[in-house]
Amino acid sequence: MTFLSLKRSVRTCALSVYSIAVFAYLPAHAQLQSNSETKSITLESAIKRTLANAPYLHEFAFKQQALEGELKTAALKPELNAGIELENFLGTGEVSGIKDTELTLSLSSVIEFGDKLQARSDFTSAKSQVIEAQKQIRTLDILAEVTRRYVDVLAQQALIEAYEEAQALAIYTYQSVAKRVEAGASPAFEQQRADAALARARLEVLTAKQTHAAMMKSLAIMWGEQAPRFTKVEGNLFALSTSPSLSVLFEQVANSPNIDVFAQEYRLQEAQVRLAQSANQADLSWTAGIRRMNGIDETAFVAGVSMPLFASERNLGEYEQQKAVLDQIEQQRQGAALALFHQLNTALLARNNALLNVQTLQDAIIPPLEQALTLVEQAYLDGRFSYLEWVSTRQELLDAKQALIHSARQAHQRAADIESLTATLLSSTSATSAQSALPTSSVPNFQRVSK
């Protein structure tokens, strides 16, 4: 299953526009191979492992649990208070002792006005929506980071192949030069240079493999595995699609969680403002009870009410403060939208440049260099070209292949950035067909192709 089909299946079964976050609810063992049997890993498996074990996603579950407790508290009505009061005892003169004691047993509470109970519940519910939006953003960021690290490993594997090919060519070059030196057709120093070039080629292979091992550890750390239990990742680095237009991406980002979170925060602040408004209306405190008067041996009922004066004026400052914060959130949303537009523009430019580099290298640079290397090699063996021309042509070809790998990696990583910003599949927004020199599969589509 490709990354595209994986994300499509998630979107189909989800309940929201940004349902990519449902992976966070997958059990750790779901559809995963046994670690002891894993030799290679797919992007789908890497994503599932990460979202099933990422602590920075599971923390949102505890935040929601905390809000459930807060909601229970917010839904409570004012409590009843029981009181007991003694008067006129242990005094002097006529009120000495307890013969004239008055004992009062009472109940008291508060009658809330201004729909404060509903306001508290709405405020807590709005908090829950903000947390859900934050979780969606975090999930998209994690998906993008897993993809970027996966692409790093995949590109490094391609670099290792290129370096190993260069090493094999260096071995062949050394053997060819040694034969010519032995035959007296080339100076002895050329063999020394070929020996040094071979050592450098071997060093590059070893360095690339060490870097590959470190990158695999970085990928495995995403799901909490310090020692990777896989040896490689699967995929075709050069499976690339064209980019959508910037205007299409701008439309998509307007509905992304990166903007939606401000809408949820705005609703939360609106609930905060209503909560402040409800406090403008004072609550009525009441008390009722029974009083026993020992001096006259009688019992009577007592009752009382009280209400603070000028409550709305005392709460005016709080209301104005919350209203100003509400207006501030709208400005923050507009600023965030502009920042996202800039990020999209930058990512799209980088990706389009990378795609252009890939196409040019594949079509116009690498094929002529391969032909040139064959011709220069034969010319050197015939004694018509020098060793330097052979080596420089070989290095040009290696540099071009490295540039091709780096450009393909750049294209995939910027695609992951764009999808993270827009919460939309990149290929689904593209209105144009892929360029003829590039594969038309989706990004990222890292499935191993047969050779």
Side-chain angles (χ1 to χ4, degrees):
M1 180 183 291
T2 65
F3 188 38
L4 172 61
S5 60
L6 167 65
K7 292 200 289 187
R8 278 179 176 166
S9 65
V10 174
R11 292 178 62 185
T12 302
C13 65
L15 298 178
S16 67
V17 176
Y18 316 114
S19 55
I20 223 166
V22 299
F23 276 122
Y25 301 103
L26 289 175
H29 61 276
Q31 300 183 24
L32 299 181
Q33 299 176 359
S34 172
N35 285 335
S36 61
E37 300 175 355
T38 300
K39 299 300 181 181
S40 63
I41 191 173
T42 64
L43 181 58
E44 175 187 1
S45 179
I47 288 175
K48 287 182 177 180
R49 290 168 186 252
T50 300
L51 296 183
N53 296 282
Y56 21 74
L57 281 180
H58 295 322
E59 66 177 271
F60 290 98
F62 295 105
K63 288 183 178 181
Q64 291 289 5
Q65 291 178 10
L67 276 183
E68 290 176 3
E70 185 176 338
L71 183 59
K72 290 179 181 179
T73 302
L76 294 176
K77 296 181 179 180
E79 68 277 6
L80 282 173
N81 299 310
I84 183 170
E85 182 179 355
L86 286 175
E87 297 182 14
N88 302 330
F89 70 101
L90 299 180
T92 60
E94 294 184 359
V95 293
S96 62
I98 60 172
K99 60 181 180 179
D100 289 326
T101 299
E102 295 183 4
L103 174 64
T104 304
L105 300 177
S106 64
L107 288 176
S108 62
S109 187
V110 174
I111 300 176
E112 290 184 322
F113 295 104
D115 206 10
K116 292 183 176 64
L117 178 62
Q118 186 63 44
R120 289 194 301 270
S121 299
D122 291 344
F123 178 70
T124 306
S125 298
K127 279 186 179 180
S128 177
Q129 297 302 317
V130 171
I131 291 177
E132 183 61 28
Q134 292 173 344
K135 179 182 178 181
Q136 291 171 354
I137 293 176
R138 182 73 63 84
T139 303
L140 290 172
D141 290 342
I142 290 174
L143 287 175
E145 182 61 22
V146 172
T147 302
R148 283 190 289 265
R149 296 191 188 187
Y150 192 95
V151 170
D152 284 339
V153 177
L154 188 62
Q156 193 63 26
Q157 290 176 180
L159 281 174
I160 290 175
E161 292 179 1
Y163 285 133
E164 287 178 340
E165 181 181 344
Q167 177 181 267
L169 184 56
I171 294 174
Y172 172 73
T173 302
Y174 175 79
Q175 294 172 345
S176 300
V177 171
K179 290 180 180 179
R180 287 183 57 83
V181 170
E182 184 179 356
S186 296
F189 69 84
E190 287 190 355
Q191 183 174 351
Q192 303 302 321
R193 295 180 66 180
D195 191 14
L198 176 57
R200 187 181 302 110
R202 287 170 174 166
L203 176 61
E204 288 176 341
V205 171
L206 292 175
T207 303
K209 288 183 176 180
Q210 287 184 351
T211 303
H212 177 255
M215 287 180 173
M216 286 198 301
K217 289 181 180 179
S218 295
L219 176 61
I221 286 173
M222 290 295 297
W223 56 84
E225 195 174 275
Q226 297 181 1
R229 300 186 181 183
F230 56 96
T231 58
K232 66 177 182 178
V233 300
E234 298 181 7
N236 178 9
L237 184 65
F238 305 106
L240 297 166
S241 68
T242 54
S243 303
S245 66
L246 190 60
S247 59
V248 172
L249 293 178
F250 282 174
E251 293 177 0
Q252 297 295 338
V253 79
N255 298 319
S256 73
N258 295 285
I259 295 298
D260 182 64
V261 68
F262 287 96
Q264 301 302 334
E265 289 180 353
Y266 191 86
R267 295 187 184 100
L268 174 63
Q269 190 58 32
E270 283 182 326
Q272 180 71 63
V273 170
R274 288 193 295 270
L275 191 60
Q277 283 179 322
S278 67
N280 289 338
Q281 191 165 353
D283 298 330
L284 179 68
S285 299
W286 60 269
T287 182
I290 299 177
R291 177 172 295 173
R292 172 65 182 176
M293 295 168 285
N294 286 340
I296 58 175
D297 195 23
E298 296 291 344
T299 300
F301 290 101
V302 295
V305 294
S306 65
M307 178 178 290
L309 300 177
F310 313 112
S312 60
E313 295 180 4
R314 295 179 63 85
N315 194 55
L316 182 60
E318 174 69 15
Y319 171 76
E320 291 178 348
Q321 175 187 353
Q322 300 301 331
K323 187 65 170 63
V325 173
L326 183 66
D327 297 334
Q328 178 184 354
I329 291 176
E330 173 58 23
Q331 297 302 313
Q332 291 175 342
R333 185 197 67 80
Q334 296 179 13
L338 294 177
L340 286 174
F341 292 156
H342 172 68
Q343 293 176 27
L344 277 176
N345 184 45
T346 303
L348 184 62
L349 174 62
R351 185 173 192 273
N352 286 338
N353 287 340
L355 290 175
L356 180 59
N357 289 338
V358 168
Q359 181 182 18
T360 304
L361 286 163
Q362 286 180 330
D363 295 346
I365 296 179
I366 291 180
L369 284 175
E370 290 176 337
Q371 296 173 5
L373 181 61
T374 301
L375 296 174
V376 171
E377 174 191 342
Q378 187 60 47
Y380 172 78
L381 296 177
D382 294 341
R384 292 183 288 111
F385 280 0
S386 68
Y387 168 79
L388 180 60
E389 291 173 319
W390 188 11
V391 172
S392 61
T393 304
R394 184 184 69 192
Q395 187 61 43
E396 287 179 11
L397 178 59
L398 177 60
D399 291 343
K401 289 183 176 181
Q402 291 177 357
L404 175 63
I405 293 170
H406 289 311
S407 296
R409 175 171 60 184
Q410 179 83 348
H412 284 301
Q413 290 182 335
R414 298 296 75 78
D417 294 342
I418 292 172
E419 292 187 347
S420 175
L421 292 172
T422 61
T424 306
L425 298 181
L426 190 64
S427 58
S428 66
T429 58
S430 178
T432 59
S433 60
Q435 300 174 17
S436 58
L438 298 177
T440 58
S441 53
S442 64
V443 176
N445 179 11
F446 306 135
Q447 294 301 305
R448 179 66 63 188
V449 295
S450 57
K451 296 182 179 180

